[in-house]
Amino acid sequence: MFTLKEFLEKEVKPALGCTEPGAVALAVARACQEIKVKEEIDYIEVEVSDSVYKNGMDVGIPGTDGARGNAIAAVLGLICGKASYGLEVLRDCQKEDVLEAKKWIKDKRVSIICHPEKSGVYIHAAVFVKKQATICIIEGDHSNITIVSKNGKTIFEKKDFPNTKDKKESIQDMIGKLSYREVLSLVDDIDQDDVAYIMNGVKMNLKMAEYGLRDDTAAGAGFGKALKKIMKENKLEQELGYLIKSYSFAASDARMGGAFLPVMSSAGSGNHGITAIIPLAIVGRKKGRTDEEIARAIAISHLTTSYVKSKIGRLSPVCGCAVAAGSGAAAGLTYILEGNYEQAVLAVKTLLANTAGMVCDGAKESCALKVGTAAFEAYLSALFALDDKGIDSAQGVIDASIEVTVNNMGRVNCIGMKNMDSVIIDIMEERAETARKEYKENRISIGG
């Protein structure tokens, strides 16, 4: 068993930008630590799982003025990345670094390869100096470096990574073996240090939302600002649910657009952290709850998010914001509105009945829509549960038991949708290839 403090340390961390390209940058940065003169590096090759490939293809990278994708993240990991920063690896990125990174890409000195047999979190980053290679592998978790080697010689090897006989169970493995009641019981041991850490996450994520709502910022597709304007013009009632939605929209808008601000993640995802935290922070403050009451509810939200993620996988064909973090927010909101355990279970099952099967089609602007939907529907599910309404009986993937319900979600994701990522990647690559052909044809037609 583990403590709440241990859980928060492993599952709730600051992250700068989308965690998939962030992990790519981290792997490259760690490999580069073994190179004395980085200027001598000739080439970067990064092999990733289908999920990392998909999520990093179209998403904005912080500090790059709109540049997107795993390739530029990889090169920035070399140029300015610091592995000691973890998932904030690109914290020191400057404009001149971006210009240099774009030149690397133009000169075709970096390649991103999708490994067809790898799923979940897997990154194999190799940097080459005169045909000699230094390699860093990340797997299982976005910051879980398992191997570093140079010219075939192992420099570092983590013995407790997946698929080894002497594997030490991770918290995400252990949490999946507990009952839901056992998982939530960890909150009983919350202390003031935990409260301070959780509330720092509130501060970070609300700051991102407020940035996304500002008139003078370019924030993704701008759904947060648009909803705020609609409410201001009285085209939509200014009620708490839409306030939650606008803030959640805005935070994800800004993050997916590459805002140079960190957020507190949950279960390996910044958008999960936005979904799991912002609705509770807004409702808690509106209802006059203390920091400790808000922190307790957010701890429940994080625990529930990780519990669902333990079944559907760290990266998945279904939208983890809608399914996992939405469940977390539903449970946490029930508690912050003075509900009990049974009502929290009802809220989670109702949320899952609503969002089961929502597809993850990569990280990009439209993620804000899913984050906002998850946050709003979590609030509605909590209100239903407090009125003892919701999906409680066995129907569809929902079971009378919360544990079986979550297991069913895992089966839908891991078995029923196992080919979804490859289909979505095909669609994205076909579109990219069409755009490349059109660009070449246009250049020829104008004499370029």
Side-chain angles (χ1 to χ4, degrees), residues 176 305-320 323-324 327 352 355-357 396-399 401-419:
T305 298
S306 289
Y307 181 67
V308 176
K309 290 288 280 187
S310 74
K311 303 299 184 181
I312 68 172
R314 208 62 171 178
L315 293 177
S316 60
V318 298
C319 175
V323 172
S327 294
L352 288 173
T355 62
V397 297
I398 307 303
D399 190 83
S401 158
I402 183 62
E403 289 81 8
V404 175
T405 297
V406 175
N407 282 336
N408 290 345
M409 285 305 307
R411 292 173 63 189
V412 167
N413 182 73
C414 300
I415 301 172
M417 303 179 74
K418 64 181 180 180
N419 294 322

Side-chain angles (χ1 to χ4, degrees), residues 141 174 248 289 299 350 374 421 434:
D141 184 80
M174 288 188 280
S248 301
R289 304 292 187 256
T350 303
D421 277 348
T434 299

